[in-house]
Amino acid sequence: MVVTAVQSSDTTAIGSLVAVRPAFSADRLLADLVPPRHFADARFATYRANPDHPSQAAAVARLQEVAAEIARPAPSGLRSLLGRRRPAPAVYMDGGFGVGKTHLLTSLAHAVREELGADAAAYGTFVEYTNLVGALGFLPTVDALSTKKLVCIDEFELDDPGDTVLMSRLLRELADRGVALAATSNTLPDALGEGRFAAEDFLREIQALADRFEVLRVDGEDYRHRSVVTDAAPLATEVVRIAAAARPRAVVDDFSDILAHLATVHPSRYGALLDGVEVVGLTGVRPVTRQEVALRLVVLVDRLYDRDVPVLLAGADPRALFSEEMLRGGYRKKYYRALSRLGALAEDGRALLDEA
């Protein structure tokens, strides 16, 4: 992928995402089912369990046992013929955003990959798996994933009935073929501490698989300590452009232009859209008023976060990116997650300015 260059007001060439048309590749979708770069170093040993929330340490200990169980050789010979095959483990981590569930899920994937080989575990978000089914078809997806020992699903979504049924069926097929499963999702911010509402919803939606899943509660506070994009004022447009011009592999786009461009690119290709990009500048940032536009932006933020791409924001106050109505609606967990993640990336962008 080549980032197209555009000219800024000071005639310095800056990359742009708007002209990029990432090509589709089913092989690329499969190859991308690995732990994201942001969590490349995540391991059970690097997870800092908060002593005020004992469920965190308990989850680490249990997941280490699960990793060992997956890596344990299957019985062979007469023992295999006489014994009843033990179902592969299936675990679901229930908790709010920012408590380290993704760190734990990637740690599990890394542990299995290090013990059994890089091809032993697949890792992706709920959206990436539904996109894979759309690209390959259901049965080819089952065949491709059934070669794995472990399939990890981050951010299992319960707000789209059709996709939820699809994923429930996919998980059932994989479990029946002996593939271990691990999943996460978020409780809503206003439901934290009120019980296992997300777990109950998850178990209800996966229906036939509910009795196979072990629920691991991960309590705690958002370690990023934010539910807004950033407490700092937005940057000036020229500051964003000058900072981007000083760095290779940087891109700058008008916010309205990038939102329009996302509508022309399938969400499964948003990762490829960012190939080779190391800094993203967005000028003219404004509130998003349409739900479908906001949901596409959420996917882009997730891909930026996966890849640790710092973001420079110029325009209106980014704390008003999503309306109050959106933050109260059925997709609010996605929006709060996006705000939390974009906040972390915006702080990374400001750190680049401090280094200059």
Side-chain angles (χ1 to χ4, degrees), residues 66-261:
V66 169
E69 184 177 344
I70 294 170
R72 190 178 304 136
S76 58
L78 183 61
R79 180 183 174 191
S80 176
L81 293 174
L82 296 177
R84 183 177 179 181
R85 190 178 70 175
R86 183 178 181 182
V91 293
Y92 166 77
M93 280 175 274
D94 177 32
F97 60 87
V99 297
K101 299 188 310 298
T102 298
H103 184 129
L104 292 174
L105 190 65
T106 50
S107 296
L108 177 61
H110 283 307
V112 171
R113 286 160 59 90
E114 289 166 1
E115 187 68 26
L116 300 177
D119 292 333
Y123 181 100
T125 63
F126 181 95
V127 171
E128 287 175 306
Y129 286 110
T130 56
N131 287 339
L132 184 64
V133 173
L136 299 184
F138 184 80
L139 289 179
T141 299
V142 172
D143 289 339
L145 294 178
S146 63
T147 63
K148 309 296 182 180
K149 293 292 186 182
L150 169 69
V151 168
C152 298
I153 309 99
D154 199 15
E155 304 296 352
F156 198 101
E157 298 179 3
L158 302 170
D159 42 33
D160 186 308
D163 283 348
T164 302
V165 171
L166 173 68
M167 282 299 294
S168 178
R169 182 184 169 204
L170 177 64
L171 296 184
R172 184 171 65 251
E173 292 281 349
L174 293 174
D176 288 344
R177 297 193 187 197
V179 179
L181 305 171
T184 75
S185 72
N186 288 329
T187 53
L188 298 174
D190 56 2
L192 296 179
E194 296 180 10
R196 298 182 178 181
F197 292 110
E200 291 171 2
D201 291 343
F202 173 79
L203 296 175
R204 182 182 65 250
E205 294 298 337
I206 62 173
Q207 302 170 13
L209 274 179
D211 60 341
R212 299 197 198 184
F213 268 86
E214 174 186 359
V215 175
L216 303 178
R217 187 66 184 265
V218 186
D219 297 301
E221 301 173 351
D222 181 3
Y223 77 93
R224 291 180 290 262
H225 299 293
R226 63 178 67 252
S227 60
V228 296
V229 173
T230 175
D231 294 326
L235 301 169
T237 298
E238 279 307 299
V239 170
V240 170
R241 289 191 171 277
I242 291 171
R247 289 168 175 80
R249 301 179 181 273
V251 298
V252 174
D253 287 286
D254 178 79
F255 192 62
S256 294
D257 291 343
I258 198 66
L259 293 181
H261 184 55

